[in-house]
Amino acid sequence: MLNHSVGINGLTIFNYLLINELSPMQFNHNSLRRFTVILIMSFVMSSTVFAQSDLITALNNHVIPIRTLDPEENFEDLRPLDALLRDKRIIGLGEATHGTQEFSLYKDRMIRYLITNHDFRTIILEADFTGTQFLDDYVVYGKGSIRDGIEGGINSMLSTPEFIDMVKWIKTYNETKPMGEKVRFYGCDMQHSFFSGARLKDGTIKLDVPLSPMAQRGLAIAMDAGIRELTKEMRLQLDRLSFELARATVVEPDPVKQQLYTQIKETVIQQIAYKKTKNHLFDKENDIIRDKYMAENAAWIYHQRGNKTIIWAHNLHVAKDIAINNWPPMGSHLAKMFPHEYYVFGFAFNAGQLNAGNLQGEPTIFDIPDVTIKKSSDYQFKQVNTPNFILDFKTASQDPLIADFLNKELHARAIGARYKKTKYASGRGSFQALIKLYDAIIFFRDTHPITIISVKELAE
């Protein structure tokens, strides 16, 4: 820290007089007051610079450098995570955007590491609960194709070379494993009822009491993702469907299928509640309902499988606490249910390019400038010597400077399905203390956009 014990005499006053072209006789009360203000401002600014420099130095000493993004490389650089994750059974892998290539590539590497070194056997995607079963059939039983898996309710932003390479690797991995050790895919989302409704409609899922004509009309409405505004009659039909499904019992002799079909039935009830509140794409009440049910579905999968689980979703879903708009994310529910088992990696970045929807929802490549807002965790992270790194909060918090930084409410990039420059360019997104949201951060200074592979290309 600077030594300010000199006070207002000696060289300090001499320099002030020289700069302001004053004689010693002109150094009066007003000059003294002005001089004092300048001195105080200089002290504050100098202290701020030194404090920031000290923080970056501390971060430099605690980050785990990312040596490679290549999922095929050995995992020596991830060995520091071994002790941290040894007792964790649910790992959340977030993402500050859906459209950043480095996030997809490094998630592939992390998933292979968790499968190979820590015996994780379940992957839950931010994707349709029932539709994701097509992908699971492909990697477990060799049924269908990757195209079937992607079309089966998987978010189109996952139709990337990185994700597809990971799926192929898991399929190959499973070929030499007994059924109990195979890696399985599940989805936890319930925004749509097309696939789950189809199971009810075609008789795959049989109920002890058939649906009434009114409930069947409600099922058609639930399955139609194109309906944006619900009439009073539609709401009544959906209510009837929800009521009948809640009372009905699935008739299925196979106990494993019976449990699965019962949960599929439950996701239709969830989607009805979601659909009834949905007025537009980013309605807050929708988000609250959606994340609550995503957590319930993830917990069901975890209990059913009974083994170590990875959750792949946006930062704003896997986070352990509210990050934006008083909206409790899926992770906040999971953290309460599994306080010791759940460990979350938030993914962050500074600048680069991004593939996201424009205001019309069309996939677009956007240039993302450097973070400029100083009250931002990403602004500090971009100054770390290592451009790409992992920071575990528990171990890093042993340094009081880092502990103070992690406990401060700060902005961080959090970009959803659509990008709006005026809203996101400076670095705003979430606003919360990092230590409340995640257990660790994975940061990339410069990034590139994902490449989305079309359904036609998948077929070739």
Side-chain angles (χ1 to χ4, degrees):
M1 182 175 290
L2 293 177
N3 183 354
H4 294 283
S5 61
V6 145
I8 54 171
N9 50 47
L11 288 176
T12 306
I13 288 182
F14 176 77
N15 288 336
Y16 176 81
L17 297 175
L18 187 65
I19 292 170
N20 289 276
E21 298 181 346
L22 298 175
S23 69
M25 295 298 296
Q26 292 174 297
F27 191 79
N28 54 25
H29 176 74
N30 289 333
S31 299
L32 177 61
R33 184 170 62 182
R34 182 183 173 200
F35 168 76
T36 303
V37 170
I38 292 173
L39 187 64
I40 291 172
M41 290 177 64
S42 174
F43 172 81
V44 171
M45 291 174 67
S46 298
S47 298
T48 301
V49 169
F50 270 66
Q52 185 183 65
S53 176
D54 289 346
L55 171 62
I56 302 307
T57 299
L59 289 171
N60 285 334
N61 292 331
H62 284 86
V63 298
I64 302 169
I66 291 176
R67 302 299 184 193
T68 178
L69 276 70
D70 187 349
E72 300 285 349
E73 290 289 328
N74 66 59
F75 302 122
E76 284 300 310
D77 63 328
L78 295 176
R79 289 187 68 180
L81 298 181
D82 287 345
L84 300 174
L85 303 181
R86 185 171 293 120
D87 299 325
K88 304 302 178 184
R89 295 187 58 81
I90 307 175
I91 302 294
L93 297 179
E95 53 195 24
T97 85
H98 289 310
T100 299
Q101 184 185 42
E102 282 73 10
F103 295 166
S104 295
L105 193 57
Y106 205 67
K107 281 188 181 185
D108 180 4
R109 179 166 171 77
M110 285 291 292
I111 286 171
R112 297 191 198 195
Y113 159 73
L114 291 170
I115 291 171
T116 305
N117 289 26
H118 292 275
D119 298 321
F120 279 74
R121 293 292 180 267
T122 301
I123 301 172
I124 300 176
L125 303 173
E126 183 187 336
D128 185 69
F129 181 90
T130 307
T132 306
Q133 290 173 25
F134 291 104
L135 187 62
D136 187 60
D137 284 344
Y138 175 69
V139 299
V140 175
Y141 306 107
K143 294 180 180 178
S145 64
I146 288 182
R147 175 178 175 172
D148 296 328
I150 297 296
E151 283 191 302
I154 300 295
N155 187 324
S156 63
M157 304 302 278
L158 291 178
S159 184
T160 66
E162 296 77 28
F163 183 78
I164 290 169
D165 284 347
M166 182 191 72
V167 170
K168 289 179 178 178
W169 181 86
I170 289 173
K171 183 177 182 294
T172 301
Y173 176 91
N174 281 344
E175 288 172 356
T176 60
K177 301 295 179 183
M179 182 57 68
E181 295 181 19
K182 292 181 186 291
V183 178
R184 306 290 299 265
F185 275 105
Y186 291 83
C188 63
D189 216 342
M190 34 52 66
Q191 293 183 89
H192 308 291
S193 287
F194 179 80
F195 294 104
S196 52
R199 299 285 181 93
L200 287 164
K201 190 174 180 179
D202 66 13
T204 300
I205 298 177
K206 296 178 175 63
L207 305 176
D208 60 342
V209 179
L211 295 176
S212 68
M214 184 177 182
Q216 291 178 27
R217 291 194 292 273
L219 182 60
I221 295 166
M223 293 174 64
D224 190 344
I227 297 175
R228 290 289 182 264
E229 296 294 331
L230 297 173
T231 65
K232 183 178 179 180
E233 183 179 6
M234 287 178 176
R235 289 179 178 274
L236 290 173
Q237 292 165 344
L238 287 172
D239 286 342
R240 185 65 196 180
L241 172 62
S242 183
F243 173 77
E244 292 187 17
L245 288 176
R247 288 170 60 100
T249 299
V250 172
V251 179
E252 171 57 54
D254 183 330
V256 175
K257 286 185 178 180
Q258 201 275 341
Q259 291 175 334
L260 176 62
Y261 292 168
T262 298
Q263 190 62 23
I264 290 175
K265 174 175 72 77
E266 185 64 28
T267 65
V268 178
I269 298 172
Q270 295 171 354
Q271 196 266 346
I272 291 170
Y274 176 79
K275 198 177 188 80
K276 286 174 63 180
T277 63
K278 190 171 179 64
N279 296 317
H280 54 80
L281 187 60
F282 300 113
D283 184 81
K284 175 184 169 182
E285 191 175 356
N286 299 336
D287 292 327
I288 293 172
I289 289 175
R290 181 187 174 202
D291 273 73
K292 175 180 179 292
Y293 289 141
M294 286 171 73
E296 290 180 8
N297 294 334
W300 181 89
I301 295 163
Y302 175 67
H303 286 307
Q304 284 296 115
R305 289 283 290 151
N307 55 26
K308 292 184 176 183
T309 299
I310 301 164
I311 301 177
W312 174 317
H314 196 281
N315 282 351
L316 296 181
H317 292 307
V318 297
K320 290 184 167 184
D321 203 344
I322 294 171
I324 189 173
N325 293 342
N326 291 319
W327 148 28
M330 167 179 61
S332 68
H333 302 289
L334 294 175
K336 291 175 183 176
M337 289 186 262
F338 311 106
H340 304 296
E341 296 100 322
Y342 188 44
Y343 185 101
V344 182
F345 289 94
F347 278 59
F349 76 108
N350 168 47
Q353 289 189 311
L354 164 70
N355 193 330
N358 59 20
L359 296 183
Q360 290 72 45
E362 302 161 335
T364 306
I365 305 298
F366 294 96
D367 291 317
I368 310 298
D370 279 21
V371 173
T372 56
I373 182 169
K374 294 185 178 181
K375 196 176 181 180
S376 159
S377 55
D378 299 325
Y379 185 84
Q380 306 302 327
F381 289 146
K382 76 174 185 176
Q383 300 176 64
V384 173
N385 290 342
T386 304
N388 308 323
F389 60 82
I390 301 170
L391 182 72
D392 172 71
F393 295 167
K394 185 177 181 179
T395 54
S397 290
Q398 296 174 16
D399 187 305
L401 280 173
I402 297 178
D404 181 63
F405 163 66
L406 293 174
N407 279 279
K408 285 182 179 177
E409 289 189 341
L410 296 170
H411 293 280
R413 289 202 188 277
I415 302 169
R418 298 185 184 186
Y419 179 75
K420 187 177 181 181
K421 183 177 180 179
T422 54
K423 182 177 181 180
Y424 295 120
S426 66
R428 285 181 171 83
S430 64
F431 185 71
Q432 179 59 280
L434 283 181
I435 206 160
K436 291 185 177 181
L437 300 178
Y438 318 116
D439 297 285
I441 207 78
I442 297 177
F443 181 81
F444 298 93
R445 187 181 295 166
D446 298 301
T447 60
H448 300 83
I450 60 169
T451 299
I452 299 176
I453 301 176
S454 68
V455 173
K456 180 181 178 182
E457 290 173 308
L458 284 171
E460 293 175 351

